[in-house]
Amino acid sequence: MKRHLLVTEFLSTPWALMPERLNAATAILTRWAAGQSATPEVMASVANDREARTARSESNNRAGGNIGVLPFYGIVTQREVADLCGPGSCSTQRFSAGLREMLADDTIGAILIDIDSPGGSVYGVSELADEIMQARNIKPVVALANSLAASAAYWAGCAAGEFYVTPGGEVGSIGVWQAHMDYSKYMENEGVSPTLISAGKYKVEGNPYAPLDEEAHAFMQSRVDDYYAAFTKGVSKARGVPVAQVREGMGQGRVLGAEAALAEKMVDGVMTFDQVIKKMQKDLRSTATTAPKSRRAAAERDLQLLG
């Protein structure tokens, strides 16, 4: 019963997460509740993956590309809680700190957000997407679904100046959901009859010890609708398409494969990690060549205005 109640609490807030990945999320929660961390096999696999991708990014930087690779892996949470989240999670706060460090680093000319995430909590994602959009005014910011950018991860990723997906990758799952668990029958069969003592008309609304009434259901739906509105508005702004196009197309809550996502204008192209790095290096070299001319032209215009 303890496990069920923990899962109930876990699901009672709005999520921008692929529902089919719920088992993985609840497994993390259950192990945390039992005082356990992720299995050694999982931790080793994630560590090896991070090391491999970091090695590739360092190799590209040594080649003179000045590309900073910022990982966005695992279930999205707002805050980093090591014992709960483990290696298979991405804190929006920690990611934001990493983004700011790369923006302030003069040796980094452009930033690649390397995404492999099914999404997660809605908390902090809208703010992170806004920060990524602002970062585009400072340095080129590119995102890559490598190989999954779903729900909250797509929300954040599409805020980059350019967004790509690997040939075998998927993006989308644009939507928000939450769950109510009714344990009243179970508890009745166990001979347990809870009585909630509360103050405030709606304080215990939506509790798991009773069926969900219409008023509570309507309120929960309104919360989901509000976050969905923010989600679709954010995608609309980032991708430069009408909100109606986001809601009526783009998978309508499903993830789409690379070519289907490109057709729906959810991404700018289909590329591998290495291809994206090469393109970014080429773009940086092109900018470095044209920038002095642009600065000279601006200076000449300023002199003409001074007369």
Side-chain angles (χ1 to χ4, degrees):
M1 185 61 186
K2 178 181 179 181
R3 176 182 183 276
H4 292 310
L5 291 176
L6 282 167
V7 173
T8 298
E9 183 177 355
F10 185 66
L11 299 180
S12 63
T13 58
W15 286 85
L17 170 72
M18 296 173 68
E20 56 266 41
R21 297 300 181 95
L22 178 60
N23 286 339
T26 53
I28 292 173
L29 177 71
T30 303
R31 292 185 64 83
W32 171 77
Q36 301 172 350
S37 60
T39 64
E41 294 80 8
V42 170
M43 295 183 72
S45 174
V46 174
N48 290 338
D49 184 57
R50 287 181 185 272
E51 289 176 3
R53 298 194 190 198
T54 300
R56 279 194 294 175
S57 68
E58 289 176 350
S59 175
N60 282 297
N61 284 336
R62 285 197 297 270
N66 297 321
I67 309 298
V69 180
L70 197 55
F72 195 106
Y73 307 152
I75 295 172
V76 180
T77 61
Q78 183 176 16
R79 294 177 176 82
E80 184 177 26
V81 185
D83 291 338
L84 171 59
C85 300
S89 67
C90 177
S91 156
T92 58
Q93 288 187 342
R94 181 176 181 181
F95 182 88
S96 175
L99 177 62
R100 293 173 186 176
E101 288 179 6
M102 287 192 175
L103 290 173
D105 188 340
D106 292 336
T107 67
I108 294 177
I111 299 170
L112 173 60
I113 303 174
D114 188 27
I115 304 175
D116 192 3
S117 168
S121 172
V122 297
Y123 298 145
V125 180
S126 178
E127 294 84 349
L128 176 60
D130 288 342
E131 185 166 353
I132 292 172
M133 290 197 72
Q134 292 171 7
R136 291 159 45 174
N137 298 322
I138 303 173
K139 293 180 181 180
V141 180
V142 176
L144 173 67
N146 184 22
S147 293
L148 177 66
S151 217
Y154 180 76
W155 189 349
C158 75
E162 298 174 24
F163 196 3
Y164 298 96
V165 59
T166 55
E170 296 180 312
V171 300
S173 190
I174 299 173
V176 180
W177 64 279
Q178 69 180 105
H180 173 265
M181 313 289 277
D182 176 10
Y183 293 113
S184 58
K185 292 292 184 182
Y186 172 85
M187 299 187 75
E188 182 180 343
N189 292 336
E190 293 295 314
V192 178
S193 180
T195 300
L196 301 181
I197 312 301
S198 66
K201 182 178 180 180
Y202 301 113
K203 185 60 181 178
V204 296
E205 182 179 59
N207 74 80
Y209 309 118
L212 192 67
D213 61 40
E214 291 184 6
E215 189 174 14
H217 185 283
F219 176 69
M220 289 179 68
Q221 183 66 55
S222 71
R223 294 181 71 199
V224 168
D225 290 343
D226 287 345
Y227 280 109
Y228 181 60
F231 192 163
T232 53
K233 183 179 179 181
V235 174
S236 169
K237 181 180 180 181
R239 298 301 303 164
V241 299
V243 172
Q245 183 175 334
V246 179
R247 288 174 173 255
E248 297 167 12
M250 297 192 170
Q252 296 183 337
R254 294 175 176 171
V255 291
L256 298 181
E259 295 300 333
L262 181 60
E264 288 283 346
K265 298 182 178 179
M266 298 173 72
V267 294
D268 298 299
V270 181
M271 294 187 184
T272 65
F273 180 94
D274 291 334
Q275 287 172 334
V276 172
I277 287 287
K278 289 178 181 178
K279 180 184 183 301
M280 293 176 70
Q281 289 173 334
K282 181 180 178 181
D283 291 344
L284 277 178
R285 288 193 294 268
S286 176
T287 301
T289 301
T290 59
K293 296 179 180 179
S294 299
R295 286 195 294 268
R296 180 178 178 180
E300 290 176 348
R301 286 195 300 269
D302 291 341
L303 288 173
Q304 288 175 357
L305 289 173
L306 289 173

